[in-house]
Amino acid sequence: QVQLVESGGGLVQPGGSLRLSCAASGSSFSFNAMGWYRQAPGKERELVARITSDGSQNYADSVKGRFTISRDNAKNTVYLQMNSLKPEDTAVYYCRGSYYTRQILYYWGQGTQVTVSS
């Protein structure tokens, strides 16, 4: 059974930094793409950053220049370095892995809370 487990969330002051990690286990394959999504109270889940197995990245406009996504393919792990955090970054952050076969299979983590507040 494939599982994605996030870690690294917490409470941080505005301007601070956090590093999220998402480790995949139970899979015999490497994800074609891995990404971070977030959902704030009363809002829809949105893409934060995504990285493919060849390293191609894309970011939400709201985090460009502040967040950096990276991955370790050997460990099937993805990271999100978040700098210059703002209160509006407060949300539950979810990791998602995508595996391409004849269809696209998506796997989600359980989420980790990030709260930016003074």
Side-chain angles (χ1 to χ4, degrees):
Q1 183 178 356
V2 178
Q3 285 189 317
L4 298 177
V5 179
E6 301 102 333
S7 60
L11 172 64
V12 64
Q13 292 187 342
S17 299
L18 282 175
R19 187 185 192 224
L20 306 182
S21 300
C22 172
S25 63
S27 67
S28 59
F29 56 85
S30 293
F31 290 107
N32 298 92
M34 299 188 79
W36 288 96
Y37 294 73
R38 67 186 180 187
Q39 187 167 19
K43 295 187 177 181
E44 293 188 353
R45 191 173 297 188
E46 62 176 359
L47 172 69
V48 176
R50 179 178 176 272
I51 185 168
T52 63
S53 56
D54 64 359
S56 298
Q57 303 171 23
N58 60 288
Y59 296 89
D61 288 343
S62 59
V63 307
K64 283 180 180 176
R66 300 188 298 122
F67 291 10
T68 302
I69 191 170
S70 60
R71 66 184 288 177
D72 184 331
N73 290 331
K75 296 181 179 180
N76 235 359
T77 299
V78 65
Y79 307 95
L80 185 69
Q81 178 66 43
M82 304 185 295
N83 298 329
S84 302
L85 282 161
K86 304 175 181 180
E88 50 263 44
D89 294 318
T90 296
V92 178
Y93 283 69
Y94 297 90
C95 172
R96 189 182 84 171
S98 306
Y99 180 57
Y100 306 157
T101 60
R102 278 181 283 183
Q103 57 183 342
I104 302 176
L105 302 178
Y106 297 112
Y107 299 87
W108 289 92
Q110 82 288 350
T112 185
Q113 177 70 46
V114 171
T115 302
V116 185
S117 175
S118 55

